[in-house]
Each structure stands twice: as structure tokens, then as C-alpha cells.
Amino acid sequence: MATSIGINYGQIADNLPPPEKVVPLVKSMGATRVKLYDADPHVLKAFANSGVEFIVSLGNEYLSDMKDPAKAQAWVKTNVQAYLPATKITCIAVGNEVLTFNNTALSDNLLPAMENVYAALVSMNLDKQVSVTTAHSVAILETSYPPSSGAFRRDLVSCITQVVDFHCKTGSPFLINAYPYFAYKADPKQVQLDFVLFQPNQGIVDPVTNLHYDNMLFAQIDAVHSALASIGYKNVCVQISETGWPSKGDADELGATPDNARKYNCNLIKLVSQKKGTPLKPNSNLNIYVFALFNENLKPGPMSERNYGLFKPDGTPSYPLGFAGVSTNSSSGRSPATGSGSTTPTSWSPQDGSSSPGYMSITSNSGRGLFCWKSWIMQLHIIVGSILLLFSQL
């Protein structure tokens, strides 16, 4: 199971083990990359000299502060430079799913914040080893089927174009949070479970490219590639910053079971280990971060929100994963980490234990992206029905 898989390490919980005990757990699953939703100093210190690469994050609530170059400089100095080179921080995610909050003020702050954080890295000669990006919900897509017709929401095209231009100039990746689970949850009668779980199935063929897709995640990724190409960017590096499947849910959350979570995540890790790209980009690395390392018992929302973890707080797998895990001997008693983890004692700076509201509910903006898939399923039914009718008349 040793792969180049990445893992999201969220900490909205009061029963998680201390970071020192998380290091061997991450290594036990072969993960070489970790994404934080903050810049927690306890975690960054614990992983010093571990060789694990980190994406640290700056919460949505601090984007307006980052419009001030001096504050961006102070944040980078305190939360990134201070841990290099011992801790391999390779990327800063500025905000999470900002554009799908439909908050104009927040969206307007995104690019200036990214630019100032990058300028701070340049001033410290760190821009060659640390990149700057932001994570988007797949709901930024207005059309996702067929993948070749992928297109961004028209009201977001201008902002996305500016962000992608920043990526091209600085060499940073375009991050997408994609959850096929939500498509199944929204319409389990129409969305084939095997198709979203990477299980054997007939799949679908893009009628424009004739490319065959046997799982929804790859189709979503290629829809993003197509959307980028439609605005003039064909060679942007796309990474999946979040994807996963809950092992438990409320009564109306069909599909949220340990067996489905096991199939999704184990099949996903197997695909990543094969180093295969998507049908449209077969030679591109997948660069996927699984959500999440632990179940987080303080996350709000439906039960599924608290049950995405590959592991329980004691270090045992939430379901059979193919590796045993590592005992963490219960919790550290630390307060739940809820944000950017800065220790800079200023009125604007994120304090140790603050969090990005963009991370609190991963389902908040996912509904919009499902309509494309429902439409696609309906189209397939119409096509199949027409074919059957034609044959019956022969």
C-alpha cells in the first residue's frame, strides 16, 4: 500500500492523539504528503525531519488581512519560514472553496491574498520551494458531463481566469475538492454505486472524445481539465485536494457504510499506486489527497461529516484498509484545532487553535455539482430507451 498518496489531517475533535503519535501512523499507510487546514505549530514541529511534505492553509476568515503585504509577510515568516527546512512545507493553500460561498467580498479578497503571500515568499527566497494555491469545490463547474464539455460557472469565469493566470505565472497547482459520494447520496436510484466506488462496471463513453470512463472521479477531473481548456489553459496541473467516503451517516445518507468507504478509499489508493492518469491526461500524476486521516467528533452537520476518517483516534483503522495502523494510546487532551495555528501575538493573526469556516462542512457547496450528473444519467436512460425501441421495431 506504499504510495505517493496524500492525506488531509483535520483536527475538529477533542479526542485526537498528539501529533508526535500521528507521525508513525501516517508513515504506516505510506503517505508522503499531508494537508493541514491551518499551520498548527504542534503538527509542524512533530513532523520535522520526517520527510513528509506539507500543504499548510490560511483560513477564509484571514483573507482580508492578507491584503496587507506586511501582514502576509508576518504570517509567512511565523507559519512557514520558521519551520523550514526541517519540516518540508511545499505549499500554502490560501482559503478553501472561497468562490462557492457566493460571497463577493470574500471572492474579491482571494487573489490579492494569494499574490501577497507569494510576494512574501519571494522576499524570503522561498518561492522556488513553496508554492501558493487555493482549493475549489467541484461546484465551480456549471457543466461536467460529458467530461469534454466541462465548463465553469459563468459568474465565476472572470475570477477563476485570474486565479489560473496566477498559477501559470507562479507554477502552482489548481486544487479541486471532489466527492462522488454526494452524487450517489443525492440520487442513489440513478447513480450506479459501482461507478462511484471504482468497482467493475461498464462505465460510460464520452460521445465527443470517445474516451471511456469507469469511475466518476476521473470523469470529474477531466471535466475540470476541459473547463480549464475552455478558458485558454490546457496545461495547468490539477490536483485533488480532497476526496473520500464516509463510513457512517444518518438514516437518509444512503451509501455511508464501512464497506463502501473501504471500497472507495482502497480502490482509490490502488489506482494512485498504479501511477495511471485519467483518460484525458493518461500521463499526468493524479496527486490526490484523501479525506481524512481521523474521524472528527466535533464537526457540525450530518453524521457523515464526523465519519470520513481512515482511522479512529486510537490509531486503529475505521474499517479494513490493508494496513494495521499504529496505536496512539488514546487522546492528547488537546483542545480541538480550529484554524491557522499562528503563534504571532497580533490582533489580526490566526491564533493557535483557530480554524477555517470553509472546512467546517465539506458538504456545504456540493449540491450544485450534482445536477450535471443527474442530467447525464437522464440522458443515458433516454439513449438506452431509444436504442431498445429501435431494436423492438426491427
Side-chain angles (χ1 to χ4, degrees), residues 137-144 150-153 220 223-224 227 368-369 372:
S137 164
V138 75
I140 61 173
L141 294 177
E142 185 170 279
T143 306
S144 62
F152 295 117
R153 279 172 43 185
Q220 289 179 329
V224 173
R368 293 183 59 119
C372 302

Side-chain angles (χ1 to χ4, degrees), residues 96-224:
N96 187 47
E97 301 189 349
V98 170
L99 300 184
T100 41
F101 273 90
N102 301 315
N103 181 322
T104 302
L106 188 62
S107 297
D108 289 347
N109 289 334
L110 178 59
L111 185 62
M114 294 173 70
E115 290 175 333
N116 284 341
V117 168
Y118 179 74
L121 289 170
V122 171
S123 71
M124 300 176 196
N125 294 316
L126 297 176
D127 55 299
K128 303 303 181 186
Q129 62 187 97
V130 183
S131 61
V132 176
T133 186
T134 186
H136 304 283
S137 164
V138 75
I140 61 173
L141 294 177
E142 185 170 279
T143 306
S144 62
Y145 182 82
S148 59
S149 68
F152 295 117
R153 279 172 43 185
R154 280 165 286 186
D155 60 315
L156 298 180
V157 167
S158 176
C159 187
I160 290 173
T161 300
Q162 295 177 56
V163 170
V164 178
D165 191 54
F166 171 87
H167 290 313
C168 291
K169 290 177 179 177
T170 64
S172 56
F174 187 84
L175 303 186
I176 284 284
N177 299 338
Y179 289 87
Y181 163 71
F182 294 131
Y184 179 77
K185 174 187 173 183
D187 198 351
K189 291 182 179 180
Q190 299 295 336
V191 177
Q192 186 183 2
L193 185 59
D194 286 343
F195 185 66
V196 293
L197 292 179
F198 308 99
Q199 292 290 96
N201 67 94
Q202 291 184 340
I204 60 100
V205 175
D206 188 312
V208 176
T209 62
N210 287 321
L211 293 174
H212 179 264
Y213 291 87
D214 59 12
N215 70 80
M216 184 178 286
L217 181 64
F218 280 15
Q220 289 179 329
I221 295 172
D222 279 353
V224 173

Side-chain angles (χ1 to χ4, degrees), residues 26-325:
V26 168
K27 291 193 170 185
S28 77
M29 62 175 291
T32 58
R33 294 171 292 143
V34 170
K35 178 168 161 283
L36 296 178
Y37 292 90
D38 50 29
D40 187 335
H42 303 289
V43 175
L44 295 175
K45 289 176 183 176
F47 276 84
N49 304 309
S50 67
V52 175
E53 295 183 3
F54 273 85
I55 296 178
V56 296
S57 300
L58 201 156
N60 294 352
E61 66 271 37
Y62 304 111
L63 296 191
S64 60
D65 292 315
M66 293 302 107
K67 291 175 67 177
D68 181 340
K71 292 178 179 179
Q73 182 97 5
W75 190 91
V76 171
K77 183 177 182 180
T78 301
N79 295 284
V80 178
Q81 186 183 45
Y83 301 100
L84 294 169
T87 303
K88 293 182 66 176
I89 299 173
T90 60
C91 184
I92 301 170
V94 178
N96 187 47
E97 301 189 349
V98 170
L99 300 184
T100 41
F101 273 90
N102 301 315
N103 181 322
T104 302
L106 188 62
S107 297
D108 289 347
N109 289 334
L110 178 59
L111 185 62
M114 294 173 70
E115 290 175 333
N116 284 341
V117 168
Y118 179 74
L121 289 170
V122 171
S123 71
M124 300 176 196
N125 294 316
L126 297 176
D127 55 299
K128 303 303 181 186
Q129 62 187 97
V130 183
S131 61
V132 176
T133 186
T134 186
H136 304 283
S137 164
V138 75
I140 61 173
L141 294 177
E142 185 170 279
T143 306
S144 62
Y145 182 82
S148 59
S149 68
F152 295 117
R153 279 172 43 185
R154 280 165 286 186
D155 60 315
L156 298 180
V157 167
S158 176
C159 187
I160 290 173
T161 300
Q162 295 177 56
V163 170
V164 178
D165 191 54
F166 171 87
H167 290 313
C168 291
K169 290 177 179 177
T170 64
S172 56
F174 187 84
L175 303 186
I176 284 284
N177 299 338
Y179 289 87
Y181 163 71
F182 294 131
Y184 179 77
K185 174 187 173 183
D187 198 351
K189 291 182 179 180
Q190 299 295 336
V191 177
Q192 186 183 2
L193 185 59
D194 286 343
F195 185 66
V196 293
L197 292 179
F198 308 99
Q199 292 290 96
N201 67 94
Q202 291 184 340
I204 60 100
V205 175
D206 188 312
V208 176
T209 62
N210 287 321
L211 293 174
H212 179 264
Y213 291 87
D214 59 12
N215 70 80
M216 184 178 286
L217 181 64
F218 280 15
Q220 289 179 329
I221 295 172
D222 279 353
V224 173
H225 282 299
S226 296
L228 288 166
S230 74
I231 60 172
Y233 300 91
K234 293 185 177 180
N235 297 305
V236 177
C237 174
V238 174
Q239 296 186 3
I240 301 303
S241 41
E242 286 183 23
T243 191
W245 197 282
S247 60
K248 191 176 182 181
D250 293 320
D252 62 344
E253 295 187 289
L254 296 180
T257 68
D259 189 52
N260 286 342
R262 176 187 63 80
K263 288 176 181 176
Y264 186 87
N265 287 314
C266 288
N267 286 337
L268 175 63
I269 292 172
K270 189 181 300 182
L271 276 177
V272 172
S273 70
Q274 293 171 354
K275 297 185 178 180
K276 292 181 180 179
T278 64
L280 186 62
K281 300 281 186 176
N283 298 317
S284 297
N285 291 330
L286 290 174
N287 293 313
I288 289 174
Y289 287 78
V290 175
F291 187 90
L293 185 58
F294 292 112
N295 287 330
E296 298 172 75
N297 68 339
L298 295 183
K299 289 194 72 177
M303 185 182 295
S304 61
E305 293 280 353
R306 295 175 288 283
N307 289 280
Y308 274 86
L310 298 184
F311 295 97
K312 300 174 184 176
D314 64 1
T316 59
S318 297
Y319 40 82
L321 288 166
F323 38 81

